[in-house]
Amino acid sequence: MAGRVAGKVALVTGAARGQGRADAVRLAGEGAEVVVVDVCGPLPGVDYASATPADLDETVRLVEAGGGRAVAGQADVRDLEALRGVVDDAVEVLGHLDVVVANAGICIPRAWHRITPEIFRDTLDVNVAGVWNTIMVGAPHLVTAGGGSVIVISSAAGLKVQPFMVPYTTSKWAVRGMAKAFAAELAQHSIRVNSVHPTGMATGMGSGAMQAALGEAMAENPRPGAMFTNMLPVEITAPEDVAETVLFLASDESRFITAHEIAPDAGVTEF
C-alpha cells in the first residue's frame, strides 16, 4: 500500500476509540501497519464511559476496511510489564516498530477544592507514568530499527493554564517536558520526539458527562471559563483533525522536527 507512512509500523495507545482510533485509522490509511492497544476496561474516577473490547475490535475493523493491517492488544499503560509484553509480541509479528503514539489519558475536571488525592494520583499515573511506560517499551524497538518518531499527545492544557483541571494540566505540562527530555537523549539514534497540543475535541473524554462536571466547577467560579475560548470560530474539533498532525509527525515529512510542541489548537493557547 502506497502512502505517506508506507512500510512503517506504528504503536498507538488508547486506540479503542476517540483520538487513538482516529490516529490508528489515519496512519493505516497512509500505509502503516498499526499496533493498537487499550485497557478496554474501567478507567479510574472518570465521568465518562470507559472503552470496551468491542470498541477495540471496531478500531481493527476500520483499519482493515481501509485495506490496512492491525495487531490489537489489551493492556493498561500503568502496567509496564503487561504493556511491554503486548508490544514485544506485536513487533515479533510485524517485524519492527517505527512510530510510537503515546495517546492514552484521562481527564477528571473539578474545582480545585474538590480534587481528591485519588483523582490527582490516578491522573498522573495514567497520563504521566503511562506515557513514560509507553516510550520505555517502544523506544528500544525504534533504536533497533535505526530511528523513528515518538509522538506524545499532550493538550492545550500543556501549553496554557486551563482552569478546573489541576491534575490534568499538571500531567500535560509534565509530558511536554518528558518529550523534550527524551528527544535530547534519543536523537543519537535518529529518533525524533515531539508533543501534540490539541484544543477540546469531540471524543468520549469530551462527552456530556464530563462537560457537566466542568460546568459544575464553572458555576462556582465563572470568570476563568473564558480561558477555554478558541481564537478560530469553532467550539470544538474532531479527533480526525488532530490525526493529521500525528500523521505529519509520523512521516518523513517531519524528519528534522524534534523536541517541539505542535499545536492543532484553533488558537486557544494564544487567545
Side-chain angles (χ1 to χ4, degrees):
M1 180 187 295
R4 294 162 65 187
V5 286
K8 296 185 186 295
V9 176
L11 163 67
V12 183
T13 63
R17 60 184 187 182
Q19 185 60 56
R21 175 186 286 175
D23 294 343
V25 170
R26 188 70 182 99
L27 290 167
E30 288 290 339
E33 295 178 310
V34 292
V35 181
V36 290
V37 178
D38 202 289
V39 66
C40 296
L43 297 171
V46 300
D47 300 303
Y48 46 91
S50 298
T52 67
D55 291 322
L56 188 59
D57 290 343
E58 176 64 9
T59 297
V60 172
R61 188 195 69 78
L62 290 169
V63 167
E64 293 176 344
R69 183 184 184 188
V71 174
Q74 289 183 225
D76 189 328
V77 294
R78 294 173 295 177
D79 186 334
L80 177 65
E81 293 310 318
L83 185 61
R84 192 193 309 278
V86 167
V87 173
D88 287 355
D89 288 349
V91 172
E92 186 173 348
V93 170
L94 298 175
H96 57 100
L97 186 66
D98 309 281
V99 178
V100 173
V101 184
N103 168 76
I106 63 173
C107 183
I108 308 170
R110 298 287 188 275
W112 69 270
H113 58 290
R114 300 189 187 281
I115 296 167
T116 65
E118 292 75 21
I119 289 174
F120 189 81
R121 182 193 63 240
D122 290 339
T123 302
L124 268 64
D125 282 351
V126 175
N127 294 8
V128 181
V131 168
W132 185 82
N133 288 342
T134 301
I135 297 174
M136 291 300 289
V137 304
H141 293 292
L142 271 59
V143 172
T144 299
S149 176
V150 176
I151 303 160
V152 173
I153 305 300
S154 180
S155 166
L159 290 173
K160 167 188 172 180
V161 174
Q162 290 195 326
F164 316 123
M165 332 181 152
V166 170
Y168 184 76
T169 297
T170 300
S171 72
K172 293 304 184 178
W173 280 76
V175 296
R176 172 189 173 192
M178 188 189 302
K180 288 182 177 291
F182 270 114
E185 295 194 53
L186 293 177
Q188 67 169 323
H189 302 292
S190 298
I191 297 171
R192 301 175 291 106
V193 188
N194 296 283
S195 55
V196 176
H197 300 261
T199 187
M201 287 186 293
T203 66
M205 186 182 285
S207 68
M210 199 185 94
Q211 291 301 316
L214 187 59
E216 182 178 333
M218 290 175 64
E220 295 186 33
N221 185 11
R223 185 176 176 84
M227 298 172 73
F228 292 110
T229 303
N230 293 323
M231 185 181 294
L232 292 175
V234 295
E235 295 299 319
I236 198 163
T237 60
E240 290 77 14
D241 298 320
V242 179
E244 296 296 335
T245 299
V246 171
L247 172 62
F248 169 68
L249 290 173
S251 76
D252 293 339
E253 297 161 20
S254 59
R255 61 188 175 276
F256 297 126
I257 298 176
T258 194
H260 280 291
E261 305 93 340
I262 311 298
D265 67 352
V268 71
T269 57
E270 300 294 333
F271 199 47

